[in-house]
Amino acid sequence: MRHRRALELPLEESPAAPAPQQVPPSRPAGSFRPVGRADAATPAPAELWLAAHLGMASSQPAQRDLERLVVGAQRLTPRVSLEPPDGLLLEVKGSLHLFGGVEGLSREMAGECSRLRMPCTLAAAPTPLAALALARAARKMTVPASLLAITDPAQLVGKLSPLPLATLRWPQDTLDRLARIGVRTIGEALRLPRAGFARRFGTAQLQTLDRLVGRASDLKQRFEVRARFRRRHELIYELESHAALLAVLEPLLAELGEFLTARQCGVLALECRLRHRAVPPTRCVLRLAAPLADPVQLAALLGERLSALVLPEPVRACELRSGALVSRVLASGGLWQAGEHGGGAAARAPELIERLRARLGPEAVHGLRVVEDHRPEGAWKIREPVFTTSAIQSGSRNEELFDRRPLWLLPVPRLLNERDGLPRRRGPLQLLGEAERIETGWWDGKEIARDYYTAVDIRGARLWVFREREPPHRWFLHGVFG
Amino acid sequence: MLWSFEQTLRSGACDIALAWVRSALPRQIRRLHLAAEQGGTLGVLFRPGEAARDSSPAALRVAVEPAAPGTRVTLLKSRGGARGAIELPLR
């Protein structure tokens, strides 16, 4: 069905394009065919749109509230678009069976609206515009909260016909002119000749009608929730106690958790700013080892961080900012308990790392990575901890070379004494085997030219020493074998 | 340092945890021992050679020192009371 529509698209739109003379002859200049009859072969509509018409009697809902509602609605379907100033559209065909049909779904949606204290009317129809028009009409006519639903495309035109044209939100001028020729409902407008309609009332309006009855596809831009979370809470009194602060932050964290769940994301970094009267705000940054969305865990970690924080002044406002969102794959719970048959260990690692980081700071915990570099100093790097089983993987690891590297590398090579051109450390060092020459790095300014030896000191400890190739040919200790 | 080690042992997130410390009191080692049992983690605490003289509540104590061709491993304390030393030559 969707394919068919896409194919028909250019044909469908051509009459709406510049000149009305281009109406294809195959279409009788009469009027709109009910779309359902043409599609009789495919009984089920490809899409079903649920429209929510919001709005208090006096004022329009704020953009902020609308966005919050969208976040809630995205729990029901990913295809949610905003129809400013007071509409919301959800494509629910795919989620009908998950929420118990149109009734169940609209109950959920009504619940979301009432949670935000936004009165709404809901309507469902195969095209987005029809759903919106129905919802608006239901509001105007103060139909009781019963749902208006057109699930059968064949009934679409028939059910839309009695609705007033005002529900399409055309310019008042157009509506007035239509009213003067006695056209007040959608059905009457649909019966007008297309060419004349386009000439007198504009192609835009004709396109609206096409989209309304599903003759032209209506592409809705999916609403993307902002990729970062930021909420601020002003306190009505100043706070000094850490426990009280955490209590204030908890609703913010709960909101963050909801925000993240809707996007199936987690945060890796969370910043909490505590504003004071005179001094600059105190910042408390939480870095997480794995994407996290659970407000309870977040609160526990933030509490750990906060308790280590010294507040210069009482806090007047707190603000929560998330770092970039990371998509979080929700894994199934394991069959084994942790510690049983190796179960759960990997799941606990992030928790451990977060606890250590919360107490010791983010720099204190890191992972290791092997880098392809001949310079021993450059052959490894620290990185964020990861929890794959092959955390330190090195594709082309040279086993033989690996054996010739010490386990312990000194942060900086230590200068050794020498006598007769041979190094000494608590006595003479005995050099074993051949030298390994490492001479590289001329391209990035950290050039080295060294001959490495394995040496044994008088106590039998094996050391990794090198001699500079350049004069003055000094000896250095660079590592200790285990 | 010891706090991190204890947390790691207790969490059960790792199969084995290694730590190098300059000094540790018997009381602290006892805590580590309990944490390792709770988390089911093998914990190895590396201490300087002088510490071999002090008593320790650890389950197994091993002294490792360089010997002429390789490494000498001496069993200082073990369950069952076996004692002895072996020398591991280097390859």
Side-chain angles (χ1 to χ4, degrees):
Chain A
M1 170 82 190
R2 198 169 293 166
H3 283 298
R4 285 198 48 176
R5 240 207 231 162
L7 287 173
E8 282 174 15
L9 191 59
L11 221 166
E12 296 287 333
E13 285 197 334
S14 59
Q21 286 87 340
Q22 285 178 359
V23 174
S26 66
R27 176 172 301 151
S31 57
F32 296 81
R33 279 174 303 159
V35 75
R37 207 166 302 154
D39 292 333
T42 52
E47 292 182 334
L48 186 67
W49 291 83
L50 182 72
H53 179 72
L54 311 159
M56 305 57 172
S58 54
S59 65
Q60 286 175 345
Q63 178 75 13
R64 210 187 119 110
D65 290 336
L66 269 182
E67 284 180 14
R68 286 193 60 186
L69 186 59
V70 172
V71 175
Q74 276 176 339
R75 190 169 60 85
L76 306 175
T77 167
R79 289 179 65 184
V80 179
S81 41
L82 207 51
E83 287 291 314
D86 56 1
L88 204 62
L89 277 168
L90 289 77
E91 204 288 303
V92 293
K93 183 73 183 164
S95 13
L96 278 181
H97 68 286
L98 297 173
F99 293 92
V102 181
E103 290 77 22
L105 224 141
S106 35
R107 243 195 325 275
E108 293 277 343
M109 189 61 209
E112 289 289 340
C113 292
S114 63
R115 203 166 54 89
L116 292 169
R117 294 190 198 81
M118 295 165 91
C120 74
T121 48
L122 299 170
T127 66
L129 206 55
L132 262 184
L134 269 175
R136 286 170 187 158
R139 176 134 201 95
K140 288 265 161 55
M141 297 185 292
T142 60
V143 174
S146 70
L147 172 84
L148 291 146
I150 308 173
T151 45
D152 184 4
Q155 297 177 353
L156 180 62
V157 177
K159 284 212 178 180
L160 284 177
S161 290
L163 299 185
L165 274 175
T167 55
L168 295 180
R169 299 240 166 118
W170 280 347
Q172 192 56 43
D173 172 46
T174 311
L175 291 176
D176 288 345
R177 277 160 55 210
L178 280 163
R180 275 201 291 280
I181 58 167
V183 176
R184 288 194 174 79
T185 65
I186 291 178
E188 287 160 354
L190 286 174
R191 274 191 291 278
L192 292 176
R194 292 178 64 86
F197 186 90
R199 196 167 57 243
R200 294 180 63 184
F201 303 106
T203 49
Q205 267 66 299
L206 187 63
Q207 276 176 340
T208 314
L209 287 179
D210 277 343
R211 290 203 301 266
L212 179 69
V213 296
R215 301 196 64 84
S217 64
D218 194 355
L219 301 174
K220 290 287 170 197
Q221 196 172 13
R222 191 187 291 187
F223 182 84
E224 297 286 344
V225 191
R226 264 176 297 170
R228 273 157 205 261
F229 179 88
R230 189 169 160 185
R231 289 280 183 283
R232 191 168 162 176
H233 184 69
E234 301 281 345
L235 300 171
I236 43 174
Y237 38 81
E238 298 193 337
L239 282 181
E240 276 181 279
S241 127
H242 290 102
L245 266 179
L246 199 59
V248 169
L249 285 170
E250 247 155 34
L252 293 181
L253 284 170
E255 209 178 313
L256 171 67
E258 208 172 273
F259 174 88
L260 293 172
T261 311
R263 295 186 59 96
Q264 297 207 346
C265 280
V267 282
L268 279 177
L270 187 65
E271 184 184 341
C272 175
R273 286 192 186 195
L274 306 168
R275 290 173 190 277
H276 309 286
R277 186 180 291 274
V279 295
T282 311
R283 295 175 57 189
C284 169
V285 182
L286 194 65
R287 291 198 183 281
L288 303 167
L292 197 61
D294 181 12
V296 179
Q297 278 187 50
L298 281 172
L301 291 169
L302 200 59
E304 187 90 50
R305 275 308 274 222
L306 281 176
S307 62
L309 215 60
V310 182
L311 295 173
E313 270 189 14
V315 179
R316 304 185 68 196
C318 40
E319 183 179 339
L320 212 56
R321 299 176 178 206
S322 78
L325 302 189
V326 188
S327 68
R328 196 166 54 105
V329 180
L330 295 172
S332 313
L335 175 63
W336 307 113
Q337 293 290 308
E340 217 181 26
H341 298 277
R348 295 242 208 116
E351 200 185 319
L352 168 70
I353 286 172
E354 277 148 25
R355 196 169 331 123
L356 293 179
R357 278 191 163 173
R359 170 97 166 237
L360 306 171
E363 309 80 29
V365 186
H366 55 72
L368 287 179
R369 188 158 69 92
V370 177
V371 182
E372 297 270 332
D373 196 326
H374 289 290
R375 285 166 289 186
E377 303 93 316
W380 62 279
K381 265 189 183 155
I382 62 168
R383 68 158 175 199
E384 283 293 299
V386 288
F387 311 106
T388 48
T389 43
S390 55
I392 303 177
Q393 80 279 89
S394 51
S396 59
R397 186 164 77 180
N398 188 336
E399 293 290 342
E400 187 250 351
L401 194 67
F402 229 67
D403 285 344
R404 285 163 66 183
R405 293 281 178 270
L407 185 61
W408 298 103
L409 202 64
L410 301 187
V412 269
R414 195 179 297 159
L415 186 62
L416 291 174
N417 295 325
E418 60 182 282
R419 184 184 293 169
D420 306 329
L422 284 177
R424 297 173 64 81
R425 185 167 182 269
R426 300 190 206 122
L429 294 182
Q430 184 197 346
L431 301 182
L432 300 177
E434 293 180 349
E436 180 189 351
R437 178 160 298 173
I438 300 181
E439 189 164 7
T440 184
W442 48 266
W443 57 85
D444 61 4
K446 293 177 200 140
E447 184 174 359
I448 62 166
R450 301 164 178 172
D451 285 340
Y452 276 91
Y453 294 89
T454 304
V456 179
D457 73 1
I458 50 166
R459 293 172 57 212
R462 290 209 307 160
L463 308 173
W464 206 39
V465 299
F466 70 82
R467 178 172 178 264
E468 286 179 325
R469 297 251 306 134
E470 305 292 324
H473 298 300
R474 290 172 302 174
W475 284 90
F476 286 89
L477 172 66
H478 202 177
V480 181
F481 290 89
Chain B
M1 178 68 212
L2 282 173
W3 177 84
S4 316
F5 190 40
E6 189 187 328
Q7 292 293 321
T8 310
L9 289 173
R10 181 159 292 147
S11 77
C14 311
D15 291 329
I16 181 166
L18 313 176
W20 285 259
V21 292
R22 294 226 175 276
S23 64
L25 299 173
R27 180 169 46 82
Q28 293 168 326
I29 295 174
R30 177 81 190 138
R31 275 184 72 98
L32 294 174
H33 183 68
L34 291 174
E37 277 185 354
Q38 195 181 332
T41 308
L42 175 61
V44 182
L45 188 66
F46 291 86
R47 306 171 66 194
E50 306 88 68
R53 288 194 301 270
D54 308 333
S55 72
S56 157
L60 176 71
R61 299 186 76 201
V62 168
V64 181
E65 57 200 328
T71 310
R72 181 185 302 122
V73 179
T74 314
L75 208 51
L76 296 176
K77 174 188 172 187
S78 70
R79 291 210 174 117
R83 291 288 180 99
I86 48 168
E87 295 208 350
L88 300 176
L90 280 173
R91 275 182 292 165

